[in-house]
Amino acid sequence: MNIKSSSESHEVITIDVLKANDLLGNSDYRYLDVRTEEEFKKGHVDVKDVTNIPNMFNTPEGRVKNPNFLEQVLPLFTKDDHLIVGCQSGVRSVYATTDLLDAGFKHVYNMGGGYLAWVQNGLPVAVDSGDKKSGPQGPTVALPVPHQSSLDVK
């Protein structure tokens, strides 16, 4: 019997931002942004169907995996949906794409280069004005944040 390892049976397919833009604009693909909510609000891919569900969170100890990622994805997407997964630079989205493929999603692409490559290629972006872009059962609850000066630097 020939048994494939998980990495062989669920190979992540990475596409560039131009191909992602084409698929998102001319087909039934949906965009899943796996960056933090803060990153998403500062700017994100501007397509008709974009959802933000963080795959990792920033903590004082560093980044930690969102333990509820799949639980938050499943009410919003079916395993037959066509998805393009993106993050800031294309690293977190590989992990998220792997998680989705391992969970049985069939049509998932990783967007290589992430949001940074999207911007560098002059593709359309949107900035959140406070309206949540996730589905009706959004992945996170927005908590009030003290007003910060625009001079704050990360």
Side-chain angles (χ1 to χ4, degrees):
M1 179 147 106
N2 188 5
I3 300 174
K4 293 182 178 180
S5 73
S6 175
S7 62
E8 286 181 85
S9 61
H10 298 124
E11 181 181 343
V12 172
I13 299 172
T14 296
I15 60 174
D16 67 32
V17 294
L18 298 176
K19 178 68 174 174
N21 185 50
D22 185 50
L23 288 172
L24 290 164
N26 301 311
S27 68
D28 60 352
Y29 274 85
R30 299 169 69 190
Y31 188 76
L32 176 58
D33 189 317
V34 298
R35 298 177 301 154
T36 65
E37 186 176 342
E38 296 78 18
E39 289 173 304
F40 182 82
K41 285 181 178 179
K42 289 179 183 176
H44 56 84
V45 169
D46 188 13
V47 293
K48 67 181 183 246
D49 194 347
V50 58
T51 302
N52 175 229
I53 302 175
N55 185 254
M56 295 186 153
F57 296 114
N58 293 325
T59 70
E61 293 79 33
R63 281 201 179 136
V64 296
K65 185 172 172 72
N66 175 0
N68 302 314
F69 178 70
L70 288 173
E71 292 171 20
Q72 294 167 345
V73 168
L74 289 171
L76 302 174
F77 300 100
T78 71
K79 293 183 178 182
D80 289 320
D81 280 342
H82 291 78
L83 301 176
I84 295 175
V85 181
C87 63
Q88 189 73 3
S89 64
V91 176
R92 284 175 280 173
S93 57
V94 170
Y95 293 113
T97 301
T98 300
D99 289 346
L100 294 168
L101 291 169
D102 288 347
F105 282 78
K106 297 174 183 77
H107 313 286
V108 185
Y109 289 132
N110 172 55
M111 186 173 80
Y115 180 69
L116 294 175
W118 184 273
V119 170
Q120 288 170 349
N121 280 273
L123 298 170
V125 298
V127 176
D128 235 355
S129 59
D131 296 335
K132 199 101 171 81
K133 291 270 186 176
S134 60
Q137 301 173 10
T140 57
V141 175
L143 299 174
V145 178
H147 179 70
Q148 296 181 359
S149 164
S150 61
L151 298 176
D152 288 347
V153 179
K154 284 192 154 192

